[in-house]
Amino acid sequence: MVKDLSPEEVYDALISQGAYEEANLDWDVIKKNLSMALEDYAFGKTLRKMPHPSWRVIFNIHYDALRELGDQLMRFKKVKCSNHQGVFAFLVLKFKELDFDWVFLERIRQARNKNKYENLDISREMWKTVELQFDLSISALKREIESKLEKV
């Protein structure tokens, strides 16, 4: 059985591998990416109301919006990382005031990977267990990014 790693263990391993890189802090790029991620998120929310939605599509839209917003928030610390687990570890460790749930972030990352690489679908039942936390996490990221942009 594979041991679950803590955010500290993930962060330390990725630091040693050079996975965290210096990033430019370009306000216009952050604003554009924020806008696109929120547009995707809003579209994903409308899909939830369809009579027979694809929970996989809805999950993936929300996952990508959350990850993209995380990427943009990292830019304020002038850091980027292409590894999803690395993005989530960074958010948990470097934005403690936002109180991100590592277990939730790992759960959705693993579900996304199983869907993408093992062809396991996302059921309505699975979606319902993460829906509220997706909304809360995306809302927290949005507020934090907008707050930082207001100070510019």
Side-chain angles (χ1 to χ4, degrees):
M1 179 174 199
V2 176
K3 176 187 177 288
D4 289 332
L5 299 175
S6 70
E8 294 82 6
E9 290 170 319
V10 170
Y11 180 80
D12 291 345
L14 292 175
I15 281 282
S16 70
Q17 296 168 19
Y20 292 102
E21 301 174 46
E22 186 175 347
N24 293 327
L25 184 56
D26 185 325
W27 308 112
D28 292 329
V29 170
I30 291 172
K31 288 177 188 174
K32 180 65 176 171
N33 287 333
L34 171 65
S35 174
M36 289 189 303
L38 294 177
E39 182 181 337
D40 290 350
Y41 172 60
F43 182 69
K45 286 179 75 171
T46 64
L47 293 178
R48 297 183 202 178
K49 299 173 186 165
M50 291 176 58
H52 302 287
S54 168
W55 300 110
R56 173 185 39 78
V57 170
I58 292 167
F59 178 94
N60 285 323
I61 288 171
H62 285 73
Y63 179 91
D64 288 341
L66 188 150
R67 186 198 42 77
E68 183 60 42
L69 292 172
D71 285 343
Q72 297 313 304
L73 186 56
M74 288 176 67
R75 302 285 170 151
F76 289 97
K77 300 231 185 231
K78 297 186 178 177
V79 175
K80 64 182 178 178
C81 182
S82 62
N83 180 298
H84 294 198
Q85 191 177 34
V87 170
F88 294 155
F90 193 92
L91 293 176
V92 168
L93 297 173
K94 304 300 181 183
F95 293 94
K96 290 182 187 274
E97 68 279 9
L98 297 179
D99 199 27
F100 286 112
D101 181 347
W102 177 248
V103 173
F104 164 72
L105 295 171
E106 274 294 274
R107 182 170 180 223
I108 63 170
R109 183 188 65 80
Q110 291 169 2
R112 179 250 182 210
N113 287 351
K114 285 179 181 175
N115 173 252
K116 296 289 184 195
Y117 306 119
E118 299 174 25
N119 299 314
L120 294 177
D121 208 357
I122 305 292
S123 67
R124 177 186 188 281
E125 292 72 24
M126 190 285 182
W127 167 253
K128 289 298 182 185
T129 66
V130 296
E131 179 179 22
L132 177 60
Q133 205 149 5
F134 260 122
D135 288 340
L136 294 173
S137 298
I138 289 170
S139 177
L141 286 164
K142 174 185 179 287
R143 274 193 319 274
E144 188 69 14
I145 293 168
E146 288 174 343
S147 170
K148 290 184 178 308
L149 288 171
E150 286 174 4
K151 296 175 183 172
V152 175

